[in-house]
């Protein structure tokens, strides 16, 4: 579940800040984020978060840790479990949970897999992040799987994809049907490493948005991809710093929000 827990934190922070809103079920007052296009039939791990929250509350003997903080720490621990001691960092805590969620904000705020490099960078900058954050955080795609519907257009239409890879992927992802057929995002989907970046250098990125980070005319992005592909320690350091920056995006603190007892609904 490591890739899924990491993704939950990302999808939480990029929609109105790191406030646990992605975990809320729909109510009569609002339609939540779970059914937004970037999340529908894609996000998972909600039951795991419920178990983590329940165990933390049991140990603390009360509900003192927010669901937003659970997501942030679970993301870090997932990376550490799958990548080893190099991939660890201190997680600032103290976030509080939102009392609402927005399907529209999730639809419009999360970068889709068909974005160009310029669109990706603009999206990250709109959240207060920069180029290094874009490339480093995209490295999260070194773990996990993607659905056929997210990379179909690339394997049939893009020209900057290795020919043998495209032919192989088409066998599992036909032009119609098989939307939910899965493909690893890189060659070691259960290991948090630098193979993702090596794949981009060889035009073997699975998603269109992944391959946009290399070979599209931005020398700074190309340089970071090349650097990370051969320097795991530098990737680990930059990834950690970017995760902390992302985790600090518009948190609710003080008297804002609440600490939910159930991550799926407000108190």
């Amino acid at each position: 579940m490591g890739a899924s827990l990491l993704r939950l934190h990302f999808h939480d922070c990029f929609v109105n800040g790191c406030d646990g809103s992605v975990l809320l079920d729909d109510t009569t007052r609002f339609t939540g984020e779970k059914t937004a296009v970037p999340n529908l039939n894609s996000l998972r791990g909600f039951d795991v978060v419920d178990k983590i929250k329940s165990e933390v509350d049991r140990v603390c003997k009360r509900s003192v840790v927010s669901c937003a903080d659970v997501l942030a720490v679970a993301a870090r621990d997932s990376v550490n479990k799958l990548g080893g001691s190099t991939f660890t960092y201190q997680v600032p805590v103290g976030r509080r949970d939102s009392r609402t969620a927005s399907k529209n904000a999730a639809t419009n705020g999360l970068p889709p897999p068909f974005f160009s490099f310029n669109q990706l960078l603009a999206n990250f900058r709109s959240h207060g992040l920069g180029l290094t954050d874009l490339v480093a955080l995209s490295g999260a795609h070194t773990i996990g799987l993607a659905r056929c519907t997210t990379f179909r257009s690339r394997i049939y239409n893009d020209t900057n994809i290795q020919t043998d890879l495209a032919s192989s992927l088409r066998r599992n992802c036909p032009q119609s049907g098989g939307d939910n057929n899965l493909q690893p995002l890189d060659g070691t989907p259960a290991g948090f490493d630098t193979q993702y970046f090596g794949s981009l250098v060889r035009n073997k990125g699975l998603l269109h948005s992944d391959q946009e980070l290399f070979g599209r005319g931005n020398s700074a992005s190309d340089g970071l991809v090349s650097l990370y592909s051969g320097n795991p320690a530098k990737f680990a350091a930059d990834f950690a710093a970017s995760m902390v920056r992302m985790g600090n995006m518009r948190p609710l603190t003080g008297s804002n929000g609440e600490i939910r007892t159930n991550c799926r609904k407000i108190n």
Side-chain angles (χ1 to χ4, degrees):
M1 295 301 298
S4 297
L5 294 173
L6 177 57
R7 192 159 179 256
L8 277 175
H9 180 45
F10 178 90
H11 280 230
D12 182 36
C13 291
F14 264 58
V15 182
N16 295 326
C18 309
D19 60 3
S21 59
V22 71
L23 303 173
L24 287 170
D25 290 336
D26 295 351
T27 72
T28 55
R29 291 177 47 240
F30 61 80
T31 301
E33 300 165 23
K34 293 179 178 178
T35 57
V37 171
N39 298 334
L40 184 63
N41 298 320
S42 178
L43 287 186
R44 65 190 191 114
F46 300 107
D47 55 335
V48 179
V49 173
D50 292 340
K51 292 176 182 177
I52 295 171
K53 170 67 171 167
S54 177
E55 180 64 8
V56 169
D57 287 356
R58 185 190 69 79
V59 172
C60 294
K61 304 188 186 319
R62 61 193 177 103
S63 185
V64 68
V65 178
S66 69
C67 300
D69 275 352
V70 166
L71 288 181
V73 176
R76 187 275 313 277
D77 289 355
S78 295
V79 170
N80 179 247
K81 290 286 187 183
L82 296 174
S85 59
T86 302
F87 292 98
T88 191
Y89 52 93
Q90 292 294 316
V91 179
V93 293
R95 303 168 188 80
R96 289 166 66 84
D97 297 320
S98 171
R99 294 190 178 97
T100 189
S102 171
K103 179 179 179 179
N104 286 338
T107 299
N108 297 321
L110 291 162
F114 54 79
F115 259 13
S116 69
F117 174 81
N118 288 335
Q119 288 173 312
L120 290 167
L121 186 57
N123 179 277
F124 270 63
R125 284 176 171 165
S126 74
H127 294 292
L129 302 174
L131 174 64
T132 299
D133 301 307
L134 167 60
V135 179
L137 291 174
S138 294
H141 283 177
T142 191
I143 54 173
L145 309 169
R147 295 184 301 146
C148 166
T149 185
T150 64
F151 59 86
R152 177 183 285 120
S153 178
R154 169 158 168 74
I155 63 176
Y156 287 100
N157 299 314
D158 285 3
T159 57
N160 61 337
I161 182 171
Q162 202 227 31
T163 304
D164 290 344
L165 175 64
S167 297
S168 174
L169 293 173
R170 288 169 187 164
R171 290 195 287 271
N172 188 44
C173 184
Q175 287 186 300
S176 62
D179 285 359
N180 292 320
N181 291 352
L182 298 174
Q183 184 70 27
L185 283 159
D186 78 1
T188 55
F192 203 92
D193 52 32
T194 61
Q195 185 164 141
Y196 165 82
F197 296 107
S199 296
L200 300 187
V201 172
R202 300 189 301 275
N203 280 346
K204 296 181 71 173
L206 181 64
L207 304 181
H208 175 87
S209 55
D210 288 334
Q211 194 59 58
E212 285 291 296
L213 301 180
F214 187 84
R216 307 306 284 173
N218 187 284
S219 59
S221 179
D222 287 357
L224 284 170
V225 170
S226 297
L227 174 62
Y228 294 156
S229 69
N231 192 330
K234 178 60 174 171
F235 169 51
D238 284 1
F239 181 81
S242 291
M243 285 292 287
V244 171
R245 277 192 290 273
M246 184 184 77
N248 286 339
M249 284 165 44
R250 300 168 60 188
L252 297 173
T253 59
S255 60
N256 294 318
E258 63 184 13
I259 296 177
R260 288 188 223 129
T261 57
N262 182 335
C263 290
R264 296 174 183 260
K265 61 183 182 180
I266 61 175
N267 294 339

